[in-house]
Amino acid sequence: MRLTREVMQQLAPPNAPGSVGEPATVGPVRARSVWGSGVIVMAIAVFVLVGCQDTNSTRRSQQRNSATARTEMNEENLRYAFSVLRTTEEFQTADALKTVVDRLNQWIKHNPATDEWHADPLVETLPEELRGLPPLQSLGALSFPLSDGADLQLVVWLNEIANRARGADSQPIAIAQGLFDWVVRNIQIERDTAAVVPYLARDTLILGRGTAIDRAWLFVLLGRQQGLEIVMLALPGNEPGEALRPWLPAVLVDGELYLFDTRLGMPLPGPDGKPVATLKDLLADEKLLRNLDVDEQRIYPVKGADLEHVTALIEGSPMYISRRMQLVGADLPGKESLVLTVQPSRLAERVKAHPHIDTVNLWPLPYQRIDGLMKADRETQQKAQLDFAQFQQPTPILWQARVLHLVGTLDGDKGANAQYQAARPPDADLKTYRAKAPEKDRERVEANLVQIRAAKQTASYWLGLVAYERGNYGAAIDYLRTRTLEAFPDGPWTAGARYNLARAYEAQGQTEEAIRYYRADLSAQRNGNLLRARRLEESSKPSEAAQPTAD
């Protein structure tokens, strides 16, 4: 038995924890109770060896199962975060976005990165005064700030919009035209003034209005969700030493840069009826630029000579070039088709191959906006609060409608259309609300009424856009003409209503009405609308062959 015990001691595994934390008790105990003769030492040894192998196999299986469970639990953190972002019932409240960030931080805690990482070299092309911004300093951090919740929310909205607006054509330029058209129709153009709040792209999308450069920023981000590579082109200053002049966004396809002007609200027409001109087209024929002159006073502010030194600017907002989003993008839940990252340096190499691009830099705009918001004075903060107040009056019905609109939930009792309608109380109800208010609440009620009326104007205008998106041009005309322009003369949506009204008339073949509204526009897009009117007028004239000849 001495030999038997030694053999068993050598072959028996040490106690090891199982899946429930209990020590293993395989081998010696059972062996001594069954066999007592040295004659079967080898049999005992074989038994113990098999028992040990079974135990090791069981332990490894338990460890694998435990590791698998931990992995699945961690993957669930990621899935849950994105499911919250897509849950319109939550309407993406601050609490919901905090939940998203908390789940992402849990996920990355158990999914540590081990590879070497460096910030994209194009970051060094930013102006020196912007390189110290906190978002740039934390690009390599393996944790998610609260701002990522709102940034990811924007990506989800952009993805939903891009999937609807791209159209059925799979050609890149056709997709770009669909996305550009959505931006021009849905983001009312504002004039460039020093008093404008330095809004981020998410704010522009929610408010539905912005400058030409705000439109360009959204167009770039929408294109990213469809795999399009869009850069912002800039021209030299008018005088030596002046800063670059942002010009327009351009879509890179097969080495060519296709040009879309967000101030004119139209792609630049190419030669021989080509719907979108390339940079190469303009350099080959300056007449294409001069065709954009409305008259001798309203000249398109670009000449052929300006195109000899063009700078391309690549959008690389902090989230898109961060290490944490590269990790998330590599491990996205299977059903997600979101684009969360960009590699500016790689895109820069492709853009540099264009013979007429001098320089490629990171676009400073996102960082200038972040810096501007961080330094915003009290007046700017109050302006921003006033802009968003209509979404909070006294219930967030307009906010709920806007979110549903952005994600494309338009119909049904809980769709954007119904919610916008609910945000338009009759004037009689508003008078009753004021009349029944106690004297002590008079000031609060009057403030509420201001925001309710603002929300009503906005809802009426956006109902016109919903009707247009659904192809119901008659209803669109009613909301845009009767319930916006006529109900609120010189209201906040006059420019957008006139443009979309002209588009609706044009879609119905009512050319004269379309021309009339294009020409009535006084917004920053006026020149582009006049060009549209001129083109419509020319196309509607009978050809010379159809003209009756004189006797």
Side-chain angles (χ1 to χ4, degrees):
M1 290 297 296
R2 177 181 177 83
L3 181 59
T4 303
R5 292 192 185 97
E6 289 175 350
V7 171
M8 290 191 294
Q9 287 170 357
Q10 291 173 9
L11 297 176
N15 288 345
S19 62
V20 293
E22 295 180 356
T25 55
V26 180
V29 174
R30 185 177 180 185
R32 283 196 297 271
S33 64
V34 178
W35 292 282
S37 171
V39 177
I40 54 172
V41 169
M42 292 306 296
I44 296 173
V46 170
F47 170 82
V48 174
L49 180 59
V50 172
C52 291
Q53 290 175 335
D54 287 345
T55 301
N56 286 334
S57 177
T58 300
R59 185 171 71 245
R60 286 194 296 270
S61 177
Q62 291 171 339
Q63 290 172 341
R64 283 196 300 270
N65 290 340
S66 179
T68 300
R70 287 195 299 270
T71 300
E72 290 179 351
M73 184 181 298
N74 203 33
E75 290 175 351
E76 177 58 27
N77 282 325
L78 202 57
R79 283 194 296 270
Y80 185 78
F82 282 91
S83 71
V84 171
L85 288 168
R86 291 193 180 276
T87 303
T88 54
E89 286 79 4
E90 295 283 351
F91 295 111
Q92 288 75 35
T93 61
D95 287 342
L97 297 184
K98 184 177 183 301
T99 297
V100 169
V101 172
D102 287 344
R103 287 300 184 107
L104 290 175
N105 277 317
Q106 291 178 43
W107 170 79
I108 205 166
K109 181 180 179 182
H110 299 287
N111 191 44
T114 56
D115 58 321
E116 190 175 359
W117 185 87
H118 299 285
D120 192 285
L122 221 63
V123 169
E124 296 301 315
T125 65
L126 287 172
E128 188 174 353
E129 63 271 17
L130 296 176
R131 292 183 214 164
L133 288 174
L136 274 174
Q137 298 303 307
S138 59
L139 289 179
L142 294 178
S143 61
F144 297 84
L146 280 174
S147 60
D148 277 350
D151 288 340
L152 285 169
Q153 179 189 64
L154 173 62
V155 171
V156 170
W157 290 345
L158 292 170
N159 186 263
E160 294 281 359
I161 293 167
N163 289 338
R164 299 195 313 274
R166 56 164 288 165
D169 197 322
S170 61
Q171 296 301 311
I173 293 305
I175 294 172
Q177 286 176 280
L179 302 184
F180 181 80
D181 188 61
W182 188 94
V183 170
V184 173
R185 286 189 297 103
N186 286 270
I187 306 300
Q188 175 180 272
I189 196 165
E190 303 284 303
R191 295 191 179 278
D192 303 325
T193 64
V196 172
V197 178
Y199 281 131
L200 302 180
R202 178 176 179 269
D203 305 317
T204 299
L205 187 61
I206 293 169
L207 292 170
R209 51 187 173 81
T211 64
I213 202 149
D214 290 320
R215 283 175 158 188
W217 192 2
L218 276 180
F219 178 49
V220 171
L221 295 179
L222 281 169
R224 182 170 294 166
Q225 293 305 310
Q226 291 294 316
L228 300 179
E229 295 181 323
I230 308 179
V231 297
M232 187 68 184
L233 300 186
L235 305 176
N238 292 316
E239 299 293 335
E242 283 189 357
L244 292 173
R245 290 181 289 152
W247 178 28
L248 49 66
V251 183
L252 180 67
V253 178
D254 296 332
E256 296 289 350
L257 288 166
Y258 291 80
L259 310 176
F260 294 79
D261 194 314
T262 51
R263 187 175 300 279
L264 291 180
M266 55 189 288
L268 299 193
D272 304 321
K274 185 178 174 183
V276 187
T278 66
L279 183 58
K280 183 178 178 180
D281 291 334
L282 299 191
L283 283 159
D285 185 1
E286 182 155 352
K287 288 181 181 178
L288 295 173
L289 286 170
R290 301 288 57 88
N291 288 340
L292 301 174
D293 298 340
V294 176
D295 51 39
E296 293 182 358
Q297 286 73 42
R298 286 168 286 201
I299 305 295
Y300 189 68
V302 176
K303 300 177 181 178
D306 296 329
L307 305 183
E308 295 175 1
H309 302 284
V310 180
T311 296
L313 303 172
I314 295 178
E315 204 284 342
S317 299
M319 186 197 77
Y320 288 102
I321 60 173
S322 68
R323 187 183 193 186
R324 61 189 182 275
M325 285 303 163
Q326 289 179 4
L327 294 172
V328 173
D331 208 13
L332 269 178
K335 294 183 179 180
E336 298 293 343
S337 60
L338 307 174
V339 180
L340 302 179
T341 61
V342 65
Q343 295 178 307
S345 292
R346 293 189 181 182
L347 176 53
E349 290 303 316
R350 292 188 285 277
V351 177
K352 283 178 184 176
H354 194 286
H356 302 294
I357 296 297
D358 274 6
T359 309
V360 182
N361 293 333
L362 202 65
W363 196 7
L365 177 73
Y367 298 92
Q368 291 168 341
R369 294 296 179 83
I370 292 170
D371 187 45
L373 288 174
M374 291 174 63
K375 297 175 180 176
D377 56 23
R378 186 173 181 81
E379 183 181 355
T380 302
Q381 293 173 11
Q382 290 175 340
K383 174 67 167 59
Q385 290 172 359
L386 186 62
D387 286 344
F388 281 91
Q390 61 182 325
F391 293 103
Q392 302 162 356
Q393 59 72 36
T395 63
I397 187 70
L398 186 65
W399 169 256
Q400 295 170 6
R402 185 58 172 165
V403 172
L404 291 166
H405 189 176
L406 294 177
V407 300
T409 305
L410 306 180
D411 300 318
D413 294 339
K414 295 184 178 180
N417 197 64
Q419 298 298 313
Y420 281 142
Q421 293 286 8
R424 300 175 62 252
D427 289 340
D429 290 354
L430 299 183
K431 290 179 181 178
T432 302
Y433 174 56
R434 169 186 280 154
K436 290 185 176 181
E439 188 62 35
K440 63 183 180 63
D441 294 335
R442 181 72 60 186
E443 186 175 345
R444 177 181 59 81
V445 167
E446 290 299 329
N448 284 344
L449 284 170
V450 169
Q451 299 310 325
I452 291 171
R453 290 194 180 95
K456 184 175 180 177
Q457 293 180 50
T458 299
S460 297
Y461 171 66
W462 282 342
L463 277 166
L465 299 189
V466 169
Y468 188 103
E469 187 167 339
R470 296 160 74 187
N472 191 346
Y473 301 119
I477 288 170
D478 179 51
Y479 279 111
L480 295 170
R481 185 188 62 195
T482 308
R483 302 172 191 269
T484 302
L485 290 177
E486 294 176 3
F488 308 105
D490 299 319
W493 299 107
T494 297
R498 280 178 177 156
Y499 173 75
N500 282 287
L501 188 55
R503 290 290 303 271
Y505 278 125
E506 188 176 348
Q508 286 197 322
Q510 295 179 258
T511 304
E512 290 185 5
E513 284 297 296
I515 290 172
R516 183 164 73 88
Y517 278 100
Y518 282 137
R519 287 179 171 165
D521 177 58
L522 299 173
S523 73
Q525 192 176 297
R526 176 166 173 75
N527 286 3
N529 291 343
L530 291 174
L531 290 172
R532 279 182 176 271
R534 185 170 73 188
R535 191 180 306 171
L536 264 182
E537 193 171 40
E538 291 173 351
S539 65
S540 64
K541 288 179 180 178
S543 64
E544 291 184 8
Q547 295 280 354
T549 57
D551 292 337

